[in-house]
Amino acid sequence: MSRRPRSRRSPRKSDAFPLGWAIAGAAALVAIAVGFGWLYTGALQANPERDADTMCPKTGPTEQVLVLVDVTDPVGTIAQADILNQLNAMADTLPKGGLFELRTLEPGDARTTSIFSLCSPGDGSDLDHWTGNPEAARKRWDERFDGPLRAAMDAALHAQPADTSPIMAGIQQMAVERLGSTQAKSIPNRMVIISDLLENTPAFSMYRYGPDFDAYLASPAAAEYSTDLAGARVEVWLLRRGNEFNGTEVSTFWANWIRDNGGAFERGLNLQGVSP
């Protein structure tokens, strides 16, 4: 009988083996590249390009907290401590890229003076050692944002008193300068007005009419201080003084004024202590 021919081993298996490794290696490299790309993109999103002076993203703040402090009359010691505690808590919860602006109310045409206006750079708590430097971020937050803000808060409460209290004019200026742009209207906006809330100008004075909103509407102030608050959430923090005005009625007046000017009245807060 003739022998059966021996079958030759197919080269396909041996040939395919290195090809499979090559495919697996290429897939691994792609996965690594995608992973690093994801980390890099995430880092850019978490740390967008910022203005060197304001620390705000160059595309604009992600949120705005605008605080107006009326020190046209003295602020009592207890009220000062309460205000500082409340503002510190607010600043600590401001998201990265959010603007915190602190202004004092001024008499006359100046209306307000900005004494602090910076975006929070973040305290580093959202960073890890792969995508950022949390220690450097915390140091920057302490030195360039938190420390200067606390100093500005303290300075705001020790400004010089004045004969008039143009609260509406101050709010109007702040709204025009900070709420008027398309970018500002696309982000959350919050206003805090810290005052005894006793408007006192030639156009309208509560010392003459009391917290009478109808009297205000009939006064020249209704046209002069008409303001577009652009849907901003507004809080009024009432400094209590030893006078005849009812705090609830004063807060109600301002709630009506805020709504009449396109804002969302969020709350009225009676600050602790009595100011002179």
Side-chain angles (χ1 to χ4, degrees):
M1 293 180 62
S2 61
R3 290 185 176 183
R4 298 177 61 184
R6 294 182 181 179
S7 61
R8 295 182 178 179
R9 189 171 58 183
S10 173
R12 291 182 181 178
K13 186 174 180 180
S14 59
D15 291 342
F17 185 76
L19 179 62
W21 274 105
I23 293 172
L29 288 174
V30 169
I32 291 170
V34 169
F36 276 106
W38 179 82
L39 286 173
Y40 179 72
T41 301
L44 285 179
Q45 291 174 343
N47 298 282
E49 190 177 2
R50 298 176 181 274
D51 181 90
D53 296 325
T54 66
M55 296 191 293
C56 294
K58 289 197 172 180
T59 54
T62 58
E63 184 174 316
Q64 293 189 124
V65 174
L66 310 172
V67 180
L68 179 62
V69 183
D70 175 8
V71 286
T72 55
D73 286 302
V75 180
T77 303
I78 297 300
Q80 288 183 28
D82 195 13
I83 291 168
L84 290 173
N85 288 337
Q86 299 276 352
L87 290 180
N88 285 333
M90 187 177 294
D92 287 344
T93 59
L94 187 69
K96 181 189 288 188
L99 175 74
F100 196 105
E101 182 163 284
L102 181 62
R103 298 190 183 201
T104 54
L105 186 67
E106 304 290 342
D109 294 337
R111 298 189 178 184
T112 68
T113 297
S114 177
I115 61 173
F116 181 91
S117 185
L118 290 174
C119 281
S120 171
D123 63 1
S125 59
D126 62 327
L127 301 177
D128 58 38
H129 293 281
W130 287 94
T131 61
N133 187 330
E135 292 81 9
R138 178 70 193 191
K139 183 178 180 181
R140 181 174 61 247
W141 188 81
D142 286 337
E143 294 180 353
R144 292 204 56 197
F145 183 79
D146 189 55
L149 175 56
R150 291 172 189 268
M153 289 177 188
D154 186 64
L157 297 175
H158 293 89
Q160 295 299 314
D163 295 330
T164 59
S165 296
I167 305 167
M168 295 175 189
I171 297 172
Q172 183 185 59
Q173 182 188 34
M174 196 157 56
V176 167
E177 293 178 1
R178 284 298 180 191
L179 303 179
S181 71
T182 301
Q183 192 275 334
K185 292 177 180 179
S186 70
I187 61 175
N189 291 294
R190 184 179 184 183
M191 271 191 183
V192 178
I193 313 304
I194 304 172
S195 172
D196 61 12
L197 300 174
L198 300 179
E199 176 76 10
N200 182 25
T201 65
F204 178 78
S205 175
M206 285 191 183
Y207 291 100
R208 180 178 179 184
Y209 296 105
D212 185 335
F213 194 68
D214 290 333
Y216 156 75
L217 291 174
S219 75
E224 184 174 351
Y225 301 132
S226 178
T227 302
D228 181 9
L229 293 173
R233 297 175 295 134
V234 186
E235 301 181 18
V236 293
W237 296 4
L238 177 62
L239 286 163
R240 293 182 291 181
R241 303 193 186 279
N243 54 42
E244 72 278 12
F245 293 100
N246 182 288
T248 301
E249 292 177 356
V250 172
S251 293
T252 299
F253 174 96
W254 284 99
N256 289 330
W257 188 88
I258 289 161
R259 295 185 186 109
D260 192 59
N261 286 278
F265 179 73
E266 189 150 279
R267 68 166 176 163
L269 173 67
N270 288 323
L271 292 164
Q272 298 182 60
V274 175
S275 295

